[in-house]
Each structure stands twice: as structure tokens, then as C-alpha cells.
């Protein structure tokens, strides 16, 4: 970094995105993107809007905001769209944490949470997951601060029930709870309906995963109107035109073609179940994921070794560093053909390893 870089950020450890190598064609199972393209209506809406790029986008993003409100049975003032869910998560850290109210989140979770805390100079408490990698609500009930929970969690894929989260909301009425539902459409239970009853709940979702719009950058937050006003204060203090015209059009069109995306999510869940069964057959430990990825470990192959070996074979999986994560890799669930290739190459790799050590 330069000599001009502010000392307040000198110790900041930035988030590391999944690699996007350009040296060859890979089967990309490392960044939890959808293997399916956007629906035809989305592509047409983007083409139409591309001809209006000389004009600023609507700072209120009214069309997609109203479409989201109608889709989820909310009022428009209970919804805020953002430049991906990451922007909205950052707003939530800014809005609901300070020196007197630390950020609380699991010690194994989405890697951006500690980055947001560091960026905003917010104290944080990382609450250890249980031995089976599950989140236990009881571990949070006596802590002071704002809770941030990815549900399903990343990279484990494990999910809490709506009833468990409701229990936490009731037990901690004086503190905010931000539930990050990036992967909720792959078999978990959303707590969006609870926002009508709890003023201390903010739910954040994304169009990147189940709606095939990772490259468009669109997320939304839902909560009672005062919470959305909080986030709008921060939005209008940073980037009023935070969602571009083509992304807004894409999001609106995606909601109109919801069955296309629901069908794709069902296929991904079927492929997830098949792949988990095959990995277990090969000796892997696999968590009960409710996301569009699997969290898996093989006794014969540490996570980094498996990742490197698969990369050599043209398949990218995600290796996440950390003491508890060393044995594991995170594998995005793709098409059936992609998953069959993964299993075939894994089986070949294991046979090669066995022969080497025979």
C-alpha cells in the first residue's frame, strides 16, 4: 500500500472473492453461481433498458421495489434494493453497530462479516459453532449486540428453522437481528413473514444465487418501515443511484418469471442430493446442506490438496482457509453433467492416491 493510505485501514484484511482464472476453461464450482442462464424475459428486459443508459437510474428503484413488495406480500416502504446483498449488509453493520453495540456472528460464516466490522471500526464477537458446525441460538441469548446470521450458513450449508430464529427475536427484543438469506431458496425456511411481528428483524436476500443474476448485482433488504428508513439514510449518503437501470429491469423481469427459477432451484436440489450421496460413497463427510453448495471433507485428502488436484483436472472448488476448515472444500452444485464429471474425476483421484500409498 502507498505511504498515503490512511492508518485507520492499515490492519484491514479485505474479503477474498472466489478465483476467476482466465488461463483455461474450467468447470466452475467455486463461487456458488447458478449453472442456468437468466430467463428469456430477463434478457429481453436488459436489452430494452440498454438503450436508455444515457439517463440516471431511478434512485428509488420504484419498479423493482414494488415488484418485490407485491411478490412477498409487503409494502414498498418495507423493501430496499441494493447493489448486491453485500451493500445492504454493509449498511446494516453501519446502522446497527457501534462501540456500545458490537457485531455478533459465528466464527465460521460468510467471510465478509469480519471485513465489514473492520472496515467500519466496529467491535465484533465471533461465536463458535458447535462441533457439528451448527449454530446454536442459546449461545447468543445472553450476549449484547447485533446478531448477523447467514441462514443457511456459509460455507456449511446448515440452516436454522424459522421457529429457532423467532425464539431468539423474542429473547432479545432490545437488539437487532440481521438474517442473511442468500441461499434460502434451496430448501431452507425464510423468516421474511416474521418482519410483520418483529421490529428488531432485518432480512436480506440476493438475486445472485437462485435467480441467476450474480453478474447484475442485485439484493434487497426487508424489514419494518423504520428500519428501511435507517438504511435509506446511509444509501442517500453514499450512492443514491446504487442500482443501475439494466439491473432493475432484470430484477423486475425475474420476479415475473418466478416459476423458471423455482424449477431451476429444484433441479439444483436434486443434483445436490445425488452428489452428496456419491461423495459419501467415496468416503467423504458431507454436511446436510440447504444451500446450492456442499461442504465436504475426505479423510484421505486435506481440503487444499483436493482443491489443487481438481484444479489440475479442470474443476474449480473452493478451499477456505482456517483451523476448522482445513479438511473441507465447498463445492457449488451445478448441472447433473458437471456433477457427474466431478464425481468421476474424484474417484480417479482417490484411486491414484491409493495406488501411490500402496
Amino acid at each position: 500500500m502507498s505511504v498515503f493510505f490512511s492508518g485507520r485501514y492499515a490492519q484491514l484484511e479485505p474479503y477474498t472473492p472466489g478465483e476467476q482464472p482466465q488461463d483455461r476453461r474450467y468447470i466452475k464450482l467455486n463461487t456458488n453461481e447458478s449453472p442456468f442462464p437468466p430467463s428469456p424475459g430477463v434478457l429481453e428486459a436488459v436489452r430494452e433498458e440498454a438503450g436508455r443508459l444515457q439517463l440516471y437510474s431511478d434512485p428509488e428503484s420504484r419498479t423493482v421495489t414494488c415488484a418485490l413488495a407485491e411478490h412477498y406480500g409487503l409494502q414498498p416502504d418495507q423493501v430496499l434494493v441494493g447493489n448486491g446483498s453485500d451493500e445492504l449488509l454493509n449498511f446494516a453493520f453501519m446502522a446497527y453497530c457501534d462501540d456500545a453495540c458490537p457485531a455478533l456472528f459465528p466464527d465460521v460464516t460468510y467471510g465478509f462479516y469480519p471485513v465489514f466490522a473492520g472496515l467500519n471500526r466496529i467491535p465484533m464477537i465471533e461465536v463458535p459453532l458447535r462441533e457439528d458446525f451448527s449454530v446454536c441460538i442459546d449461545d447468543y441469548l445472553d450476549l449484547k449486540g447485533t446478531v448477523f446470521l447467514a441462514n443457511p450458513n456459509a460455507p456449511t450449508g446448515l440452516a436454522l428453522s424459522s421457529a429457532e430464529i423467532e425464539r431468539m427475536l423474542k429473547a432479545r427484543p432490545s437488539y437487532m437481528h440481521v438474517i442473511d438469506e442468500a441461499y434460502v431458496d434451496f430448501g431452507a425456511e425464510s423468516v421474511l413473514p416474521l418482519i410483520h411481528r418483529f421490529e428488531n428483524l432485518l432480512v436480506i436476500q440476493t438475486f445472485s444465487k437462485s435467480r441467476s443474476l450474480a453478474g447484475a448485482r442485485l439484493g434487497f433488504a426487508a424489514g419494518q418501515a423504520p428500519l428501511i428508513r435507517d438504511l435509506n439514510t446511509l444509501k442517500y449518503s453514499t450512492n443514491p443511484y446504487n442500482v443501475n437501470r439494466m439491473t432493475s429491469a432484470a430484477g423486475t423481469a425475474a420476479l415475473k418469471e418466478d416459476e423458471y427459477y423455482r424449477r431451476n432451484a429444484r433441479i439444483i436440489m436434486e443434483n445436490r442430493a445425488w452428489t452428496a450421496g456419491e461423495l459419501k460413497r467415496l468416503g467423504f463427510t458431507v454436511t446436510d446442506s440447504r444451500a446450492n453448495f456442499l461442504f465436504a471433507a475426505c479423510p484421505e485428502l486435506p481440503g487444499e490438496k483436493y482443491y489443487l488436484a481438481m484444479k489440475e483436472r479442470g474443476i474449480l472448488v473452493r478451499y477456505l482457509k482456517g483451523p476448522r476448515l482445513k479438511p473441507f472444500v465447498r463445492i457449488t452444485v451445478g448441472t447433473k453433467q458437471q456433477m457427474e464429471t466431478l464425481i468421476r474425476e474424484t474417484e480417479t483421484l482417490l484411486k491414484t492416491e491409493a495406488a501411490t500409498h500402496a
Side-chain angles (χ1 to χ4, degrees):
M1 60 186 65
S2 78
V3 296
F4 307 104
F5 192 61
S6 172
R8 77 170 59 180
Y9 299 121
Q11 304 304 314
L12 185 65
E13 294 186 19
Y15 175 73
T16 303
E19 62 184 322
Q20 305 278 359
Q22 306 297 318
D23 60 318
R24 60 182 283 190
R25 287 183 65 88
Y26 289 93
I27 295 176
K28 283 187 81 275
L29 305 178
N30 65 326
T31 49
N32 298 342
E33 298 149 321
S34 173
F36 303 109
S39 58
V42 167
L43 299 178
E44 180 59 32
V46 169
R47 278 193 290 267
E48 280 189 27
E49 204 59 39
R52 304 183 181 95
L53 290 183
Q54 76 276 17
L55 304 173
Y56 280 111
S57 58
D58 175 11
E60 296 181 15
S61 300
R62 282 167 289 191
T63 302
V64 67
T65 297
C66 289
L68 277 163
E70 181 179 359
H71 185 81
Y72 288 103
L74 306 172
Q75 296 301 313
D77 64 358
Q78 294 175 314
V79 177
L80 176 66
V81 295
N83 190 313
S85 60
D86 291 332
E87 179 182 50
L88 299 167
L89 286 165
N90 189 33
F91 287 163
F93 272 82
M94 296 168 69
Y96 304 119
C97 301
D98 54 31
D99 289 342
C101 188
L104 314 175
F105 47 81
D107 65 336
V108 176
T109 191
Y110 183 30
F112 234 138
Y113 296 167
V115 176
F116 288 141
L119 178 65
N120 294 299
R121 302 171 69 83
I122 293 165
M124 64 183 185
I125 299 173
E126 295 180 283
V127 181
L129 295 179
R130 295 299 174 97
E131 282 299 312
D132 62 356
F133 288 102
S134 64
V135 172
C136 181
I137 292 301
D138 292 335
D139 296 338
Y140 292 82
L141 300 187
D142 295 327
L143 298 178
K144 296 180 179 179
T146 296
V147 169
F148 293 84
L149 286 181
N151 193 52
N153 195 16
T156 67
L158 299 177
L160 290 164
S161 69
S162 176
E164 278 292 275
I165 294 175
E166 181 175 355
R167 182 166 71 88
M168 180 171 62
L169 295 170
K170 289 178 178 177
R172 305 176 78 252
S174 300
Y175 294 103
M176 273 295 299
H177 301 79
V178 180
I179 307 301
D180 178 1
E181 294 188 338
Y183 303 101
V184 74
D185 292 329
F186 300 102
E189 190 177 4
S190 177
V191 294
L192 259 173
L194 297 182
I195 69 171
H196 301 289
R197 294 167 45 208
F198 293 95
E199 64 180 6
N200 60 337
L201 171 63
L202 185 75
V203 179
I204 295 178
Q205 290 192 16
T206 180
F207 280 62
S208 294
K209 312 304 180 184
S210 64
R211 291 192 173 104
S212 302
L213 289 178
R217 313 308 304 132
L218 181 64
F220 72 93
Q224 293 192 10
L227 300 182
I228 300 304
R229 288 197 293 271
D230 296 341
L231 302 186
N232 262 313
T233 296
L234 296 169
K235 187 195 90 163
Y236 282 102
S237 300
T238 52
N239 183 12
Y241 304 103
N242 63 331
V243 178
N244 70 69
R245 300 184 70 91
M246 291 191 293
T247 292
S248 292
T252 303
L255 291 167
K256 293 177 182 177
E257 298 186 300
D258 192 53
E259 181 49 39
Y260 170 83
Y261 296 101
R262 289 182 180 276
R263 181 171 64 251
N264 290 345
R266 289 193 294 269
I267 293 170
I268 289 170
M269 286 187 279
E270 291 169 2
N271 293 347
R272 181 183 67 199
W274 180 85
T275 307
E278 289 297 294
L279 288 172
K280 290 175 183 177
R281 177 179 64 81
L282 296 176
F284 281 71
T285 298
V286 184
T287 59
D288 184 20
S289 175
R290 289 293 178 267
N292 68 335
F293 57 81
L294 292 166
F295 188 58
C298 178
E300 286 77 27
L301 287 172
E304 185 174 21
K305 186 173 182 179
Y306 178 76
Y307 149 72
L308 291 171
M310 296 306 286
K311 186 175 182 180
E312 284 291 316
R313 288 162 168 77
I315 302 173
L316 293 177
V317 299
R318 188 78 188 267
Y319 169 63
L320 298 161
K321 297 179 181 179
R324 297 183 68 182
L325 301 180
K326 284 183 178 180
F328 289 85
V329 291
R330 192 194 67 195
I331 304 170
T332 302
V333 178
T335 64
K336 185 65 176 296
Q337 183 178 11
Q338 288 174 329
M339 307 321 291
E340 287 172 343
T341 302
L342 171 86
I343 294 301
R344 185 170 60 251
E345 292 295 335
T346 299
E347 197 160 16
T348 300
L349 173 62
L350 290 173
K351 288 178 180 177
T352 301
E353 284 292 310
T356 301
H357 294 95

